[in-house]
Amino acid sequence: MARRDAFRRLAGVAVLAGTLLSPAAQAEPGFSDFFVSHPTPMWMIEVASGDIVRANPAAQDFYGYDDLTALNIRDINLLSQSQIEQEIARAATAERNHLFMRHRLADDSVKVMGIYTQRMDYRGQEVLVSSLYDTSEFERSAERHYIAQVEEQVDLQTAQLRNAKRRQAWLAWGAALAQGVAIVILLSVLVRLRRAQADKRRLIEELSFRNRELERLSHAMAHLFQEPSRRLISFAQQLQRRLGDSDDDSTRIAVDFIASQSRRLSALVGDMQRYLSLDRMPFEPRRISPGEILDDVYRRNEALTELRQAQAMTVASPLPDVHFEPKRLALVFGVLLHNAWQYRDAERPLRVTVSATRLNQRIRFAVEDNGRGIAPEYRDQALEMFARLVPNSEQTPGTGMGLALVTKALRCVQGSVYIEPGPQGGTRVVFDLPTAE
């Protein structure tokens, strides 16, 4: 009998909810009064936010809170936030208008509530008008509906967990694969690095061996090679004195040839010795005055005696201080001035001009003359070792090592050397050095 009365009341609530929540009933002026005075708990929830915007006294008494309109449905409903949003969305689209929810009352008790709901416009707000009833009197029916709802939520959460685990598994496989690839790459780099280190050690050993060979060769040129050259020159001079005014022209020509070639051999050995000694010469750069170095070379170098006597050199502008080694700069100026005199034009007086210009952190020097000049196609070749652009003779002797010595002397400061056309078809040799600042 009690259960039949409970179901009868439930049916009455359902009919009441269907009648009151219909659009026609909501449009009548008496709906607001009826909403307030009806003994069935009722409230209105804003669709967008979930705020309880209105509750009748029956709902206020049943839940026991001081003011239901100060709460949000999330403060009462025990579902998760995402589940509540899904249920509100379903109710708002009329996908479901009869719900079962677990609500927490003010005394901290939990009730399974049946909810009939309908969407309506209330004072410009989209709300869900709900009629609520306690399902404890209809335990089995409510429990069945509630369990179905919970099972649906469990299935949803299980599917989400399954998808999350699947994503985590793919991420783990991807991370493992990336880690494997990284390990393979690191192993490959390590193998190549070890090979490069082994090659570097072999190269260092080879360079050390070559340097020792060059040192031995330089020593041999200074002593072993130079001594036979001096003896050849000495014996050739003795033969020339003994021949005197002899009529034996063929012998005199042979002796003269031996003497000239001995002097050439001695010059070649000497220049090679100077070239190799640049590697062993201590490089101690400091602030120096190129003008003072040039003046000292011009006055003291015996190879420039004729150039000095002809007063052929002028300095066009002050030469700024540079950061370099004095002996190397003296070698550079000596070679360039000697070349200018050696390859002068016989038809006009030689004029040699030394100048300097500042270019960022470098000083660019130029030694130019009005001599024979060098054809464009031979200018790079002239900077190489043993480069002779004219036949060797008594008038133009040489070994072809001059400009090669200049190039090597400047390498320690990354100095460049190149040849340009000079005035009146002569030669202009340009090189640069770091400034003293």
Side-chain angles (χ1 to χ4, degrees):
M1 176 66 71
R3 181 168 296 183
R4 281 198 302 271
D5 292 341
F7 277 106
R8 191 178 297 111
R9 287 196 299 273
L10 175 61
V13 170
V15 171
L16 173 64
T19 302
L20 292 177
L21 300 180
S22 65
Q26 294 168 19
E28 296 177 0
F31 171 75
S32 180
D33 295 336
F34 190 82
F35 177 88
V36 172
S37 62
H38 201 277
T40 299
M42 301 178 70
W43 61 26
M44 299 181 186
I45 298 175
E46 187 180 17
V47 174
S49 65
D51 291 336
I52 301 174
V53 297
R54 190 175 182 186
N56 68 357
Q60 193 73 46
D61 292 341
F62 179 81
Y63 283 92
Y65 292 100
D66 293 337
D67 185 7
L68 279 173
T69 58
L71 303 178
N72 188 286
I73 190 61
R74 298 177 183 85
D75 300 326
I76 297 175
N77 202 314
L78 299 185
L79 292 178
S80 66
Q81 181 175 341
S82 61
Q83 292 171 341
I84 293 173
E85 291 175 353
Q86 291 175 2
E87 293 300 327
I88 291 176
R90 289 176 178 177
T93 57
E95 182 179 341
R96 180 181 296 175
N97 63 357
H98 187 200
L99 311 173
F100 291 94
M101 302 285 186
R102 296 176 69 197
H103 287 180
R104 186 180 300 280
L105 278 56
D107 60 4
D108 213 32
S109 63
V110 177
K111 296 287 187 178
V112 178
M113 302 297 295
I115 305 170
Y116 285 98
T117 184
Q118 177 67 42
R119 183 171 179 168
M120 67 173 288
D121 182 78
Y122 176 72
R123 297 179 181 177
Q125 293 178 298
E126 291 188 2
V127 299
L128 293 176
V129 181
S130 302
S131 174
L132 306 103
Y133 63 93
D134 182 4
T135 63
S136 58
E137 297 181 359
F138 323 104
E139 184 175 351
R140 293 182 182 177
S141 174
E143 183 178 3
R144 185 169 56 254
H145 286 287
Y146 183 74
I147 289 175
Q149 182 178 357
V150 170
E151 289 177 347
E152 180 182 348
Q153 298 300 327
V154 169
D155 291 341
L156 177 62
Q157 292 179 351
T158 301
Q160 292 175 346
L161 289 173
R162 189 182 300 111
N163 291 335
K165 288 182 178 179
R166 189 178 295 111
R167 287 193 297 270
Q168 290 177 354
W170 279 110
L171 288 174
W173 277 105
L177 180 61
Q179 187 177 15
V181 172
I183 291 173
V184 172
I185 293 174
L186 288 175
L187 288 175
S188 176
V189 170
L190 182 60
V191 170
R192 292 184 180 181
L193 180 60
R194 288 182 176 177
R195 289 178 181 173
Q197 289 175 343
D199 292 340
K200 181 181 178 181
R201 286 193 296 269
R202 286 194 295 270
L203 180 59
I204 291 174
E205 292 174 357
E206 182 67 19
L207 288 175
S208 299
F209 176 74
R210 298 299 180 190
N211 285 334
R212 289 193 297 270
E213 281 190 329
L214 289 175
E215 288 179 4
R216 287 194 293 268
L217 179 59
S218 178
H219 179 76
M221 286 185 172
H223 301 285
L224 303 179
F225 290 3
Q226 197 64 262
E227 182 61 24
S229 301
R230 285 195 293 266
R231 290 183 180 182
L232 284 173
I233 295 172
S234 176
F235 282 106
Q237 291 173 348
Q238 291 181 27
L239 288 174
Q240 287 175 330
R241 285 194 298 270
R242 288 184 180 182
L243 284 174
D245 297 330
S246 173
D247 295 333
D248 191 351
D249 294 336
S250 59
T251 302
R252 182 179 292 105
I253 291 173
V255 171
D256 291 343
F257 180 79
I258 292 173
S260 65
Q261 293 303 307
S262 299
R263 289 191 296 271
R264 176 171 170 76
L265 177 60
S266 179
L268 280 169
V269 172
D271 283 348
M272 276 303 301
Q273 182 185 356
R274 285 201 297 169
Y275 187 85
L276 294 174
S277 66
L278 284 174
D279 292 324
R280 294 181 288 107
M281 180 186 298
F283 180 62
E284 300 174 350
R286 57 186 175 84
R287 186 188 186 104
I288 58 175
S289 171
E292 294 178 0
I293 302 262
L294 177 63
D295 183 66
D296 186 68
V297 170
Y298 183 65
R299 288 187 296 104
R300 296 176 181 272
N301 194 325
E302 293 182 1
L304 303 179
T305 301
E306 295 178 299
L307 178 69
R308 230 176 7 255
Q309 293 173 350
Q311 298 182 348
M313 189 190 78
T314 58
V315 179
S317 59
L319 305 181
D321 290 353
V322 296
H323 188 71
F324 198 50
E325 208 275 327
K327 291 182 179 180
R328 293 174 189 262
L329 186 56
L331 170 66
V332 171
F333 280 138
V335 169
L336 296 181
L337 293 177
H338 182 265
N339 280 358
W341 176 258
Q342 190 82 359
Y343 302 104
R344 64 191 181 278
D345 190 335
E347 298 182 357
R348 58 190 172 193
L350 177 66
R351 290 291 178 266
V352 181
T353 303
V354 181
S355 61
T357 56
R358 185 182 297 272
L359 183 64
N360 297 327
Q361 296 301 312
R362 310 286 288 189
I363 303 297
R364 179 174 293 173
F365 294 89
V367 179
E368 59 183 29
D369 60 59
N370 61 344
R372 302 179 191 177
I374 301 175
E377 61 269 25
Y378 297 118
R379 288 171 186 164
D380 291 337
Q381 179 184 343
L383 300 173
E384 299 175 358
M385 290 192 298
F386 308 112
R388 291 283 295 165
L389 304 182
V390 297
N392 190 63
S393 65
E394 292 294 333
Q395 291 74 29
T396 56
T399 62
M401 289 293 294
L403 292 178
L405 283 167
V406 171
T407 301
K408 189 166 186 178
L410 298 174
R411 284 183 60 186
C412 53
V413 290
Q414 292 79 47
S416 61
V417 185
Y418 56 90
I419 300 172
E420 295 179 341
Q424 303 177 26
T427 301
R428 186 172 189 261
V429 181
V430 181
F431 65 93
D432 63 278
L433 294 172
T435 65
E437 287 77 9

